[in-house]
Structures are given as structure tokens and as C-alpha cells.
Amino acid sequence: MATMENTGYCSESFTSLQSAASDEDMVEIAGATLDFSSTDDVPPLDRHMDEKSFTTSKTALIVRIMMDLLDEPVPGVGTYEDFNTIDWVREKSKDRDRHREIASQSKESTWAFIMSIHDAFSGWLLMLLVGLKAGALAGWIDIAAHWMTDLKEGVCLSGFWFNHEHCCWNSKETTFQERDKCPNWKSWAELLIGYNNGPLAYIMNYLMYVCWALFFSFLAVSLVRSFAPYACGSGIPEIKTILSGFIIRGYLGKWTLMIKTITLVLAVSSGLSLGKEGPLVHVACCCGNILCHLFTKYRKNEAKRREVLSAAAAVGVSVAFGAPIGGVLFSLEEVSYYFPLKTLWRSFFAALVAAFTLRSINPFGNSRLVLFYVEFHSPWHLVELVPFVLLGIFGGIWGAFFIRANIAWCRRRKTTRLGQYPVLEVLVVTAITAVLAFPNSYTRMSTSELISELFNDCGLLDSSQLCNYSNVSDIKLSGNTLPDRPASHDVYMAMWQLALALIFKMLITVVTFGMKIPSGLFIPSMAVGAIAGRLLGVGMEQLAYYHHDWVIFKGWCSPGADCITPGLYAMVGAAACLGGVTRMTVSLVVIMFELTGGLEYIVPLMAATMTSKWVADALGREGIYEAHIRLNGYPFLEPKEEFSHKTLAMDVMRPRRSDPPVSIITQDGMSVEEVEALIADTSYSGFPVVVSQESQRLVGFVLRRDLVVSIENARQRQEGVVSTSRIFFTEYTPPQPPNCPPPLKLRGIMDLSPFTVTDHTPMDIVVDIFRKLGLRQCLVTHNGRLLGIITKKDILKHMAQIANRDPDSILFN
């Protein structure tokens, strides 16, 4: 029966202990109000005959007090241990009961009515706080990362806290041709040796670039390793697992939030091939989890808390891309396990607040929410769907290759000595990245700036090497757009540099993602696609210029017209590659649409994204996040995975035919000592309750944790409870002999409606039930008699076995 993951809610505790926050608090408070000096395990037997009536009345009084005191929940009962899964059905039931109680009390007094309004409004208030906090943190991360990235190349003399752009913003000595140069900004070569030209200056700038990169990455990995190991990686695989109901204590805590925010800036500034967009989802979920503790409704209910975390995931994407609607769809499509309509509205509100907060901070100084916001002015033609589909095919192949290569590398990291040296690994990868990136201007700049450069539609005011086309006489201007022109030597040089950058990014991202630092995948994947798209776009542009009389260009591409927009190809390629890696579809298209603000480009994006998904799915069914969930052995039932095998519940349930019978508790025939022995001899997380050993008729299900807490509680607070006390799960306690110790009634901690299936239920139905109801375990019966149990891990192991994978890999690693 392995480890069963269930928790029950119990209605047992003392009225005086309602406000106790933990088991320890409960004991201390109880010690101040109740007398627990009598701790003997043996009841007093030397009673006088003349005290018989007194003893009987005393026993009756104890039983009555016991029944009165156990009507309130015991602190610790109904909570979850680390690395267990919550019971969605029970948590939703608890919330319904709480809501009904508030609704009934609101009619009794004005104060209760006001409290009911506060309870209803608390969800919206929490969303407001999450949006404000996540937006403010994202703004700070953007500003700090931009400044520290520029710090690798130089420093501003008028204020070291200014990045390059802000330093030269008000300089009157900056020329149009050399807009990035100003007297206030000095490179490290100028500061150290006095000049910025020549081999020595180049070597000095090169060394300082590498040293700063190593320093930033060393700080990042050291902080993660020393203070918050959970702050590493993207965080989205773990967020998906947590939203499915799994408990990972500390993963969304204060330390993780603080360290991840700081190290994310350091990791991005080091120049490694990673992004901040995925980790921002983790940061936003940390904000949501921490703020949940301000409201009792969310603090005490794990299912309600996961509704907040779903909204927080939407907030993370909203501040990462400046795409509030795309963030909501991302949470719905990619990470959320349970997403009711109420969560949809609140996610939308929180994403809106976060985007407004980030826009108010204006971290990029362009009145936009992202660095690479673009607007295209030329329409696309139907013939261009062919190269767009080709980009989709490239994105799908790249996505499948990246997932396989990255998982193979991460598995090697886990199974070899490489995993024992995370600091050394990060420093080596950083050194290789910095040494290879510096000579190429397209890899030296930050990845967000690279994407911005590739998305850019060349206009009159652009002085980029990518836009340095040959001048043509009798040029006709149409607004800010320029007609197609022949590529110059500079453009061809830029193409070669981009081709080298493409190979470099494809290889280095494989080993970077998954290291022990915050590392997102969105931006590196988009960079790979944007480079490939820009290369194809320039090729199509030159083809249209030199061969405008071909059949494919006739009728829509005349000489002197702006036929092809290479920046659009870059955008489509970015969407295709990101879709191939993550398998996102609807949310990805909406995110890209919000980035560009162009409704007319939705069809090219849809064509490339769907092609990318189809090609990637043909080469491998899993996206990168699902692959990392399986690699780490998280107990996650993937909703997209189909179960098509003809097995029955009896084939998966435990105990197996050769195993000993299932461990059970009878409803009225066991003592405290026998139950404690059963708990000590087994490691199961719960036990079925039956009528008797002979009948095996199912009554309910009780959890190990609830049993331990309740028995310990009763020993401390209830006079006369000893090892020989009988435990009853029945509604009424039968009369006890006069000299017997008082019984222990634990019906309140028992789940009276455990989910059951028959032994001949097809497993595809059982898997569907587990997915849609969020069950932790299901009892298997035959004509009402208990046969066995199926847990979530049993299903995962069964599915792994069918897929020829190691079933023992379904463990938290």
C-alpha cells in the first residue's frame, strides 16, 4: 500500500484552543488551563465498594466531557505533511461548510454581515496586493538587470547607478551616427588604460567582460546554494506540480522569494543564455503564497490557496511580457490544474494590476512593458505562409532536439559527479559563454536586446548593421517604411554573425537550463527562433528584390515596394521555437500579439505555432516542463496524456495477490494500544475503517497523521485515556463496564465518504477520476467488501511501467 497521500479534516479540539497556531502552542495553552498531572497508563483499580456509584457517574461525566470537547477541530488534524498531496474534494468541502456558516451567521447581526462582506471581498483584495507586489518586484528586476548588464562593458561617470542608455540620454555631445557614445559613459579600457582603440583596449574590455560575468554568476550560485536551494531553475515544473496539489514546503517561502529575486538579476546580468520570464512566474507565486497568510480563508485551505497561485502564475507572465491576457491564458493552458471561472476573473484582475504597476515604474524608459515591443506597418501576403510554416517546422525540430538534449544532460548531472559541483559547473559554463560571446556583437548584448534588434522593422532612423542596406536612387518613402533594397556588405556580415550566434545559442542553452541558478527558457528559445526567422526574412527580402517578376511575387510585389518585413519573420520564428519547446499554443499566440499590437499577424503566428506543435509532438510527446517533472519524479498526472490500455482497477490496486492483506482498522473493536502498534508497524498514510475483521464492509477512511495527533491530544487533555481505552468510529458509543477506562471517540476524523470503485472498473476511467477530482487515493470494493486501495503514485507507476519506464522513478527527487 506504499505511502498513501490523504489528509482528512477533523472536527476535534478544545474550545479554549481554537486560536492555537501549532501543536506546540496547543500544548502550552492547555498546560495553563487543564491538569495533566495524571499520566499513568494503568487506570486505578483499588477502588472501594462504596465509591462504585461515584465511579460510574465520574466515568459518565468523563465521556460527556470528551464528546463535548471533541466537537472542535484539533490543531494539526487536517493539515498536510511535506511531500504529500492535498485532498481536493475534502478541501472544497471544508470551504463550502465555512461559506455556509458565514452566510447563516450574516443574518444574525450587523457585525456578522460586515464580516461576510469582508470575506467575500478578501479574494479581490488579495489579488490587488499580489499584482502590486509582483509588478513592483518585476520593475526592480528589470532596472537592476539592465544596469548590471551594462556594467560589464563600462560605467557612467555622472552616476554609477545609470545604465548606458540613461547615462547618454541627456548628453548634448552625442551624434546621430554614434548615438551610443557619450563623454559620460566610459568603457573599462578607457578607465584603466586611458583609451578605447587598439588591441590592448580590446583585450582589456574582453577581460573585464569575462570577470564581471564570472563574478555575477558566482554570487548567484553561492547565494542559491547557501540560503535557498529551491531558488534555482525555472520553477514552472514545480509550480505545475504544486498547483496539482503537491506540497513542497519552503518552495514558495520568504527566503526563496528574496534569494530568487536577487540571484535572478545576477544570473541574467552574467550573460548566460537564460531569461527571467520563467522565474518571474515563480517570484509571483511566492508573492501570492506569502500574502495568503494575511487571510484566514486562504491560509487554512490548500485548495483556495492554489486558486491564488494560479492567478499569481498569470501575474508572472503579465509582468514578464507585458501581456495580461496572455498571462491568464498561460495559467489556464500550461500550469493550472484546477481553474474555476472565479479564478479566471481574479487572474485577469491581478494581471491587469501587475501590468499597470509595471507600466507606472516604466523600467525600460520607452513607455512599454517590455524591451522588445515592436509595431509593423506592412501587411503580409498569402504566399508568405509557406516560409512561416517552414519556420514552424524548424521550431518543432529544434524544440524536440532541445528537450532530448537538455534532459539527457540534466540526467547526467543527477547521476554523475557533475552534480556534486554546482558552483564549478556554473563558473565553467559562464566562462565558456563569456569567452565565446564577446567577439560577436549579437551574442555580447543581452538576449532581450538581441530579440529587440531582430524584431525591429528597419526605418529611416535606424543605424543598426542589420538595417544598413545599399542606397538606391529615386527611393520612394511611405511614412516610416522603406522599400526593399539590395543588401550591403554590412548586412551580409550581420547575417554571418547571426548564423554563428544561432549555433552558439542552440548549443549553450542546452547545458545552461537546469543549472543551480534561476534560469528561464522563454527568452533563449525566442532568441533562437528570432535569429532563424531574421535570416529567412532577409533571404526572402532579397529574393523578392532581385526576382520580383517570378510567379510567386507577381501581382503583390512590384519594384520599389516594401514587400517583405524581415522583423515579422523573426517574430514568427520566435513563436515557433518557443512553441516547440513548451508546446504552448493559444496563450503563446496571444502573448506574441500583445507584444506587437498587430491583429493582422495572428494568422502567421497561428500557422507557425500549430505547425511547430505538430512537428514537435511527432518527435516527442512531452514539453520541456513535463519532461523535467518526469525527470524529477514529481507525482503529477499530466492532463494531456491519454491512457489507452485495457487494464482494470484490480490490476493496479494494492495489495497484490501475493501480498499480505490490507491493513485496516475496525470501527469499534480496537484499543489505543492496538492502533498505535498498527501505526508503528506500518508506514502507510491512511487506513480503511471496516465494520469488523470478518465482514470487511467499508465504513470510511482515516489518516495516519490525524490518528496520531488525535490520540496524543486525548492522552494530554482527557483524563483517564490509557492504552487499554477502546477507540470507536461509530456514531454512538455503547455502554462501557464500570471499571473500564473511558473510550475514545474518533468518528470526527474519519472520512465517511471515501471515493470507491469496483474491482472491474476500467483503469482509463479511474485515471480520469483522479485527474478531474484531484484524488489522492481510491478504495476498491467488491459487493461492498474492501479489496484494496489505489493511490496517485500507484497510477503513475502503472503508467510508467506501461510506457517501459522505471516505475520506481515516481518518487520525489
Side-chain angles (χ1 to χ4, degrees), residues 383-395 454 466 469 484 491 494-496 498-499 502 527-545 553 563-574 576 608:
V383 174
E384 291 182 277
L385 277 179
V386 175
F388 293 153
V389 169
L390 287 176
L391 284 173
I393 294 172
F394 171 78
L454 296 170
L466 276 172
Y469 287 85
D484 291 344
V491 174
M495 292 299 103
W496 276 109
L498 282 176
L502 177 64
V528 169
I531 294 172
R534 188 77 187 203
L535 290 171
L536 181 61
V538 172
M540 285 291 295
E541 183 187 46
Q542 296 305 301
L543 196 67
Y545 178 80
F553 297 117
C563 305
I564 305 293
T565 306
L568 173 61
Y569 284 72
M571 185 183 77
V572 172

Side-chain angles (χ1 to χ4, degrees), residues 547-611:
H547 303 284
H548 53 79
D549 55 343
W550 283 8
V551 176
I552 58 173
F553 297 117
K554 268 189 177 180
W556 65 279
C557 186
S558 56
D562 183 17
C563 305
I564 305 293
T565 306
L568 173 61
Y569 284 72
M571 185 183 77
V572 172
C577 281
L578 184 53
V581 171
T582 63
R583 311 298 160 87
M584 292 159 56
T585 52
V586 179
S587 56
L588 176 58
V589 171
V590 173
I591 287 171
M592 299 304 294
F593 155 63
E594 289 187 270
L595 283 179
T596 57
L599 272 170
E600 57 187 318
Y601 304 115
I602 283 184
V603 173
L605 288 169
M606 291 174 69
T609 303
M610 280 312 304
T611 305

Side-chain angles (χ1 to χ4, degrees), residues 33 90 231 234 253 334 448 575 620 721 807:
T33 56
R90 188 155 299 174
S234 160
E334 190 62 28
S448 294
V721 172

Side-chain angles (χ1 to χ4, degrees), residues 116-136:
S116 68
I117 294 176
H118 171 267
D119 181 78
F121 183 69
S122 62
W124 296 100
L125 178 59
L126 179 56
M127 292 299 102
L128 176 69
L129 295 175
V130 171
L132 289 172
K133 185 172 182 178

Side-chain angles (χ1 to χ4, degrees), residues 714-777:
R715 282 185 181 276
Q716 292 176 343
R717 286 159 183 71
Q718 187 180 322
E719 186 179 350
V721 172
V722 290
S723 296
T724 54
S725 297
R726 311 299 291 180
I727 293 181
F728 289 95
F729 293 94
T730 54
E731 190 171 357
Y732 300 104
T733 307
Q736 300 296 304
N739 292 332
C740 280
L744 191 58
K745 186 178 177 183
L746 297 182
R747 184 179 176 84
I749 67 169
M750 182 173 65
D751 182 2
L752 293 169
S753 56
F755 205 92
T756 60
V757 296
T758 66
D759 50 342
H760 285 86
T761 305
M763 272 308 295
D764 56 337
I765 294 177
V766 176
V767 171
D768 242 10
I769 290 170
F770 268 79
R771 280 176 180 156
K772 292 176 179 176
L773 292 181
L775 298 181
R776 301 178 67 197
Q777 79 283 312

